[in-house]
Amino acid sequence: MLLRPGGFRYRSARRAIERWADAWQYGRVSGPEFAPSAKDAIQVAESFFAERVESCVRFTTGLRHWVYDVTLAESARRVVVRLSHPDHRRELAGGVFWHDQLAAAGVPSPQ
């Protein structure tokens, strides 16, 4: 399941992401010293899936986004939480677009 704009299953997940984006946009956090933390990824995952997180590890690859490998406690499901600066919204949308295109072409990809 991919997170799409306006497609959140739980309103609290949407609010958590909006608070994070607003904090950046309105200068409450800024500059290269700011990066979303595992705590932020955990908050988004727990809000979205309504389930406690067992583990959260950041992928060290990537140029623009902060991407976390999250394991949910009750279902043992592994999900990816991808956080980014609001200015990089187009790149995030591009990732969703290409995921759908590649999956439709039969390329194995996460659901």
Side-chain angles (χ1 to χ4, degrees):
M1 174 185 321
L2 292 172
L3 303 180
R4 299 177 191 278
F8 295 105
R9 287 178 32 201
Y10 300 98
R11 290 185 188 173
S12 57
R14 184 181 182 99
R15 282 194 301 270
I17 292 169
E18 287 171 349
R19 279 194 307 270
W20 177 79
D22 286 346
W24 183 292
Q25 182 175 5
Y26 295 110
R28 291 189 290 276
V29 291
S30 62
E33 71 279 357
F34 173 76
S37 67
K39 180 179 173 184
D40 297 315
I42 289 168
Q43 181 181 8
V44 168
E46 287 180 344
S47 296
F48 185 82
F49 292 102
E51 191 173 333
R52 194 175 54 77
V53 167
E54 182 177 301
S55 68
C56 180
V57 178
R58 182 169 182 233
F59 289 108
T60 56
T61 59
L63 299 174
R64 289 213 184 246
H65 312 293
W66 292 270
V67 184
Y68 294 88
D69 179 10
V70 175
T71 304
L72 302 174
E74 288 82 26
S75 65
R77 225 172 124 184
R78 289 182 65 197
V79 299
V80 173
V81 175
R82 191 173 175 196
L83 302 172
S84 187
H85 185 279
D87 290 349
H88 303 154
R89 233 175 246 169
R90 293 180 83 184
E91 289 89 344
L92 278 173
V96 172
F97 170 82
W98 282 110
H99 176 277
D100 292 347
Q101 295 297 310
L102 294 169
V107 175
S109 54
Q111 295 184 1

